[in-house]
Amino acid sequence: MALFQQQPAQAASADLSTYEPMAALSGKDYGKPRTVYPDYIKTPSGLQYKDLREGTGVSPQPGDTCVISWEGYTIGYYGRPFEKASGPKGSSFAEPQEPYRFKLASGQVIPAVEEAVAGMKLGGIRRIVVPTELGWNEGGAWRKLGPPPSTFSGQRALDFVLSDRNGMIDKTLLITVELKNVQPGQARG
């Protein structure tokens, strides 16, 4: 009996950071391995990014208002888009997307977008692989933290993945961010 009680503790102390957090496999020392993309840079937080275009303008500072356009896909679930800048006529994403504004270092956006934009320069485009811990951690969280999907179908696609009750869907996301404008905060003037 004592041996049985120790096994879950040993599994919990195993290095699970190499596995995707999936509720159905919680406490196990196996699971779906996290994908590490060799052409992406991995930060200490677990965010992976690749600059598609390096910016040439200013870098945003905490308190600055950042204006971005973005696209998002559920790479852990069939690569379905939940946000696109624009799409073919008649699609859910046919209308051009409005730029999204947020104040850097204010907690208005998911940590992955915050970290990615903080390291960019104006005009840059960065693609990020968002691990569960740095994204919207639960269903409905996209309603509280930005950037939110702009269409109903995008909201449903993201909510379906994040609200997975069986715990078997990989919640890893792929987001592409373009830094369109940086408006200095009050501290910078």
Side-chain angles (χ1 to χ4, degrees):
M1 186 92 150
L3 180 61
F4 178 78
Q5 292 172 347
Q6 288 176 357
Q7 288 173 347
Q10 289 170 342
S13 67
D15 181 18
L16 297 180
S17 64
T18 58
Y19 299 109
E20 290 297 336
M22 300 168 98
L25 303 176
S26 175
K28 308 280 195 281
D29 60 353
Y30 61 87
K32 180 181 185 256
R34 288 187 189 253
T35 304
V36 177
Y37 298 91
D39 54 337
Y40 281 63
I41 297 168
K42 187 174 180 181
T43 68
S45 70
L47 179 73
Q48 295 180 68
Y49 73 91
K50 178 180 184 177
D51 285 325
L52 303 179
R53 180 175 73 206
E54 295 244 0
T56 56
V58 299
S59 292
Q61 302 298 314
D64 288 354
T65 298
C66 298
V67 180
I68 62 169
S69 63
W70 68 287
E71 293 187 351
Y73 299 86
T74 59
I75 55 175
Y77 188 73
Y78 301 112
R80 295 219 168 109
F82 59 89
E83 183 66 24
K84 285 188 61 75
S86 63
K89 188 174 182 177
S91 78
S92 299
F93 304 103
E95 294 297 316
Q97 167 197 81
E98 288 291 317
Y100 183 75
R101 300 172 188 286
F102 69 96
K103 192 172 286 197
L104 191 64
S106 67
Q108 295 175 334
V109 295
I110 60 173
V113 170
E114 189 96 51
E115 183 178 344
V117 171
M120 294 175 71
K121 290 184 178 178
L122 184 61
I125 300 175
R126 182 169 281 182
R127 182 162 292 149
I128 58 177
V129 177
V130 182
T132 303
E133 301 84 359
L134 299 177
W136 297 277
N137 291 327
E138 61 203 45
W142 55 265
R143 292 180 183 100
K144 300 173 192 131
L145 289 176
S150 61
T151 65
F152 179 69
S153 62
Q155 292 167 3
R156 287 193 62 195
L158 185 58
D159 202 41
F160 175 79
V161 169
L162 299 178
S163 297
D164 171 38
R165 302 217 190 287
N166 297 325
M168 292 300 292
I169 294 179
D170 177 359
K171 295 175 172 74
T172 304
L173 304 173
L174 181 72
I175 296 177
T176 303
V177 178
E178 179 179 4
L179 185 56
K180 297 228 174 237
N181 196 1
V182 176
Q183 299 164 345
Q186 293 177 347
R188 279 183 38 179

